[in-house]
Amino acid sequence: MKNINNYFLSILFTLLSIGIGYGQCGSVNAGGSSTTCGTEYTLAGSTEGDATGLMWSVVSVPTGATDPTISDPTILNPLITGMNKPGYYKFRLTKTCAGGSTTFSEVTITSTGDTSTFSAGSDITDVFATVGTVNLNGVIPEGFTGEWRAENIYFKERLGQINSANSQFDDKNSASTTFSLIKKADHDVDPAYRLFLKITSIYNPNCTMTKSVVVRFVPNPVIDLRLDYAECSPVLENDLKYIFFNSGSPEFDTRTNFTSGNPAYGTSVTLNVVSQPNGGNMEFLGFGDGTLGFIKLNAIGVYKFKLTIENAAGSYTTPEITYNKTGVAPSRPNFIFPEYPNQKTVYGPSGSAGSVYCDYNGTTTPITVYYSLGDNDPTSLVSEISFTSEIPTGGAPSVTMNGAGQKDRNVVLQPPTGGWNVGTYLMNVKLSSENCYSSENFYIHISDGAREDINFDDIVVCYPGSGSVDAEVKLPPVFKGVPDLSYLQDYTGVYTFSVISQPEGSSEPEFGVDSQRLFTLESMMINNLDKSGIYEFKVVLEGRVPSTRWVLEEEYACSGASRETTFKIIVSEQVGSNAGSNQPDVFCRERIVLVGNDPGVGTGEWTVESAPLGTNISFSDVASPRAVVAGLDQTGIYQFRWTITTGGCESSSIVEVVTNQDNCKSPFLITNPMMPGKTKKRAK
């Protein structure tokens, strides 16, 4: 009877113990720490079991900040607004369970703060270039650093180049810095600039903003031009001629939008003709590219003129300039014939032509290049052939010229000893008559046949959840100048990108200007990736201008290779790890539930950080945020790490579980009423 009583008492104690163990408050998770670009954030709480008894509260805010607003503190995912000072905001998610027990988890959200005060200042357009200094009046918000950069408008608008020529900042990181010309009275480029102030959060380098301001100095009108010219012209009528600035002269541009010299901003140039030949009809075109251009020099003879420049800085008239048009030069040789379709134009530099030859390396087959004179050129023109610049290994070919005294001519090229070599032979054809001549380059490209399909690897970049990120793209191996220095000399190729697809709501990716996509570079950047997801691109290798694309088309055709491909950039959002609330009083349980935060598009993994000796820990699913962990049959401290991997980003945190199993061992020894004095361990 005594044993039976002990048996029922043991069962009762065991049931009570089990009730205590599994009746504790369920775990909660306040979500992973994160940084937001701005003043709002949606919290990402989670909990074991029902989402009842929840309450969010503000734990701490940056110095001087007021408490932000929680849209509904009783739900798992409320919207936080009003984090208008930069810094760390800590929030607590508390869960109150039946019986009044509570558990909580905390999360830190980093706000970049309010940026409404950000400004690059106002445009400045009334300062003389001879003064050449202005004080900028930008505003950098609290919690941000700033950096100025200058972009010369002439270089950007006319040449497509990003260039800060002849400019400097006293302190490029100060909002109210001084911006000035290096050369003032003798500015050697048009003195108009766009100044960009980029601010970057000190809490998240991916949170940036950029604003711009225009500084357009009034150019110095006291220019210094070369005064005497004598040269042949390529045509008789509507001839375009150039007058050049002397070294040290101030320069400005009248023909490009937004430049200082553009007439729209107060600088005028007047042509004063002193004398010109009958039918000359001299006409001013404008300043640009470091020169002064004229058109309608329609007669051979001497032209004399002056220029008057006027603007707010003053008025200046040049000394008399003399231009002697001594004759008309021959037309450039023409290399395009329907019967010789392998000769094409343009190769690279304006007007040049060329041919691509496959499977010619090491052969001794002669190459014939055909050209013709212009319709109005006399057949008495003399042809001269020369090879210049880089010459492929083995030297230049020997030359035989045919067709002297005829309109159509050709040159037969015998390869050097050992045959043609891989590379590009630059041949110049010069046509002359008395003191006038013209010339043109013809490029003979011997392909190595070694091109392969271009390939771009897919890229994974980590996105911090706000702002934008950049991706470095590795370009295919460089083959210009390889294996011979002459290979594709003077040719310019670029990789052109287009978007096939991108995440919904994302901004257009930025690929940079031509100079940043050259096929002679090893890598380039794609910028402005501001949403997580998959960006898919098409990329093509081609000539910098459409008329030169045939060169790479034929170069790749020699190898049967493709010049285009597709690739992806996976912008994977970083998720901060939160292993959930600690469990400091686990009693009489050898298994519990861990509640980590959701890894989103990333992956998560539970691992054992530490455990008492002799335990055998197992997880129901190491990759699940909500995992049952078993094997906690020893009294002590257990630590479990929850690691979230998103692309190249990794974040981890630790949750601590403290168990007390010692006081449970007695109830788990059950007396066998059928076998007095014998005991057996109850299965758990």
Side-chain angles (χ1 to χ4, degrees):
M1 190 67 177
K2 181 179 179 180
N3 287 338
I4 292 175
N5 290 336
N6 288 339
Y7 172 70
F8 285 111
L9 286 172
S10 297
I11 291 176
L12 178 61
F13 195 92
T14 299
L15 292 174
L16 288 172
S17 299
I18 292 172
I20 293 171
Y22 284 93
Q24 294 172 347
C25 198
S27 178
V28 291
N29 192 308
S33 296
S34 185
T35 300
T36 179
C37 288
T39 61
E40 299 183 357
Y41 186 80
T42 299
L43 295 171
S46 58
T47 183
E48 177 190 357
D50 294 336
T52 58
L54 302 175
M55 181 59 65
W56 285 98
S57 58
V58 179
V59 177
S60 61
V61 298
T63 302
T66 57
D67 283 358
T69 300
I70 304 175
S71 61
D72 183 350
T74 66
I75 63 175
L76 288 171
N77 307 116
L79 175 66
I80 302 298
T81 58
M83 296 185 290
N84 52 13
K85 286 189 71 68
Y88 306 106
Y89 293 77
K90 183 179 288 187
F91 301 91
R92 176 178 294 174
L93 174 59
T94 302
K95 182 174 184 179
T96 302
C97 300
S101 62
T102 62
T103 186
F104 69 87
S105 175
E106 295 180 343
V107 63
T108 298
I109 304 301
T110 306
S111 171
T112 56
D114 183 16
T115 58
S116 61
T117 60
F118 173 43
S119 173
S122 304
D123 292 349
I124 303 173
T125 60
D126 58 354
V127 175
F128 299 160
T130 50
V131 175
T133 298
V134 296
N135 294 319
L136 303 179
N137 53 352
V139 177
I140 299 174
E142 180 185 0
F144 284 81
T145 60
E147 183 174 12
W148 288 98
R149 71 173 179 88
E151 194 174 273
N152 182 269
I153 291 177
Y154 161 77
F155 275 98
K156 185 63 166 58
E157 295 291 332
R158 186 163 179 82
L159 305 178
Q161 299 177 7
I162 296 176
N163 192 318
S164 60
N166 194 40
S167 71
Q168 62 185 358
F169 294 96
D170 183 55
D171 180 356
K172 66 179 182 179
N173 300 118
S174 170
S176 56
T177 189
T178 296
F179 175 73
S180 61
L181 300 176
I182 298 171
K183 298 179 179 180
K184 297 179 172 61
D186 57 344
H187 50 86
D188 52 6
V189 67
D190 187 280
Y193 299 85
R194 290 188 185 94
L195 308 184
F196 296 86
L197 177 58
K198 178 180 180 180
I199 58 171
T200 302
S201 169
I202 62 176
Y203 296 97
N204 183 352
N206 297 104
C207 293
T208 64
M209 294 179 66
T210 301
K211 292 188 177 182
S212 65
V213 62
V214 171
V215 174
R216 186 181 294 108
F217 293 101
V218 179
N220 181 2
V222 186
I223 60 174
D224 182 13
L225 299 174
R226 179 180 164 188
L227 302 180
D228 293 293
Y229 297 83
E231 60 184 12
C232 296
S233 297
V235 295
L236 178 61
E237 296 182 348
N238 295 326
D239 184 16
L240 175 62
K241 306 306 296 184
Y242 294 104
I243 306 297
F244 294 90
F245 290 98
N246 282 325
S247 176
S249 172
E251 296 183 19
F252 54 90
D253 183 287
T254 65
R255 296 182 290 170
T256 301
N257 290 334
F258 313 117
T259 54
S260 291
N262 190 295
Y265 304 108
T267 294
S268 65
V269 181
T270 304
L271 171 67
N272 308 302
V273 178
V274 177
S275 64
Q276 60 182 324
N278 290 333
N281 296 325
M282 192 178 190
E283 185 174 303
F284 174 69
L285 178 62
F287 288 110
D289 303 329
T291 62
L292 168 68
F294 294 90
I295 57 173
K296 291 188 178 180
L297 301 187
N298 289 346
I300 295 173
V302 176
Y303 297 76
K304 295 184 178 182
F305 60 94
K306 297 180 181 181
L307 295 171
T308 298
I309 299 92
E310 292 182 286
N311 58 30
S315 176
Y316 174 74
T317 299
T318 68
E320 185 175 274
I321 302 169
T322 300
Y323 194 102
N324 184 4
K325 183 173 178 176
T326 60
V328 177
S331 301
R332 291 180 175 182
N334 173 42
F335 296 100
I336 303 306
F337 297 84
E339 57 269 38
Y340 306 117
N342 65 313
Q343 296 188 181
K344 294 182 175 65
T345 188
V346 175
Y347 170 89
S350 178
S352 59
S355 294
V356 173
Y357 292 86
C358 306
D359 303 321
Y360 261 61
N361 183 27
T363 69
T364 58
T365 305
I367 291 176
T368 302
V369 178
Y370 300 87
Y371 63 98
S372 64
L373 310 183
D375 293 338
N376 298 320
D377 292 328
T379 57
S380 59
L381 292 178
V382 176
S383 294
E384 298 178 46
I385 306 296
S386 61
F387 284 85
T388 60
S389 195
E390 293 288 347
I391 297 177
T393 303
S398 58
V399 175
T400 301
M401 293 189 292
N402 301 305
Q406 301 175 24
K407 287 286 188 180
D408 293 337
R409 305 180 184 187
N410 66 71
V411 52
V412 179
L413 306 175
Q414 294 288 345
T417 302
W420 295 105
N421 286 283
V422 166
T424 306
Y425 298 81
L426 193 169
M427 181 179 73
N428 180 262
V429 180
K430 180 179 179 181
L431 302 176
S432 58
S433 175
E434 298 179 354
N435 65 334
C436 292
Y437 72 90
S438 65
S439 67
E440 191 63 278
N441 289 332
F442 190 91
Y443 293 81
I444 300 146
H445 179 65
I446 309 299
S447 176
D448 62 2
R451 303 287 73 75
E452 297 179 349
D453 294 348
I454 66 169
N455 178 66
F456 284 67
D457 293 332
D458 291 343
I459 304 168
V460 177
V461 295
C462 181
Y463 183 63
S466 53
S468 65
V469 295
D470 306 325
E472 183 177 13
V473 179
K474 300 296 183 183
L475 300 178
V478 176
F479 59 90
K480 180 178 179 179
V482 179
D484 189 273
L485 287 176
S486 70
Y487 205 86
L488 290 177
Q489 63 177 306
D490 298 337
Y491 185 79
T492 303
V494 295
Y495 293 98
T496 58
F497 294 80
S498 57
V499 178
I500 297 174
S501 62
Q502 63 190 93
E504 184 177 356
S506 60
S507 301
E508 285 298 315
E510 297 174 357
F511 306 112
V513 297
D514 282 357
S515 61
Q516 296 167 331
R517 298 184 280 110
L518 292 173
F519 75 152
T520 53
L521 301 176
E522 295 182 352
S523 66
M524 59 158 288
M525 301 300 294
I526 294 182
N527 310 110
N528 203 36
L529 307 173
D530 61 358
K531 294 288 183 183
S532 61
I534 297 176
Y535 295 76
E536 187 172 6
F537 303 97
K538 177 181 177 181
V539 57
V540 182
L541 174 59
E542 54 193 1
R544 189 170 188 172
V545 294
S547 57
T548 67
R549 291 174 182 171
W550 66 271
V551 178
L552 286 175
E553 289 173 358
E554 297 194 10
E555 164 72 359
Y556 273 76
C558 287
S559 306
S562 174
R563 297 177 297 111
E564 64 180 65
T565 189
T566 62
F567 72 103
K568 298 175 183 177
I569 297 179
I570 298 94
V571 180
S572 183
E573 185 165 350
Q574 181 180 7
V575 177
S577 169
N578 188 327
S581 53
N582 292 330
Q583 301 187 43
D585 54 355
V586 174
F587 178 56
C588 298
R589 282 186 292 165
E590 64 91 21
R591 63 179 63 207
I592 61 168
V593 177
L594 298 177
V595 181
N597 61 313
D598 188 346
V601 297
T603 59
E605 182 182 18
W606 287 106
T607 55
V608 179
E609 186 73 10
S610 65
L613 292 175
T615 55
N616 184 20
I617 304 297
S618 64
F619 297 92
S620 60
D621 184 352
V622 296
S624 172
R626 189 181 186 280
V628 177
V629 57
L632 285 71
D633 52 6
Q634 299 290 325
T635 294
I637 299 173
Y638 297 76
Q639 290 184 326
F640 302 100
R641 181 180 295 274
W642 176 235
T643 301
I644 293 178
T645 303
T646 50
C649 298
E650 185 175 283
S651 174
S652 66
S653 60
I654 293 174
V655 62
E656 186 172 273
V657 177
V658 181
T659 66
N660 183 354
Q661 307 290 20
D662 293 338
N663 296 329
C664 302
K665 290 180 179 178
S666 176
F668 279 77
L669 296 176
I670 303 175
T671 303
N672 188 336
M674 305 303 296
M675 300 181 65
K678 302 291 183 178
T679 61
K680 65 178 180 179
K681 186 175 288 187
R682 187 183 71 82
K684 300 177 185 177

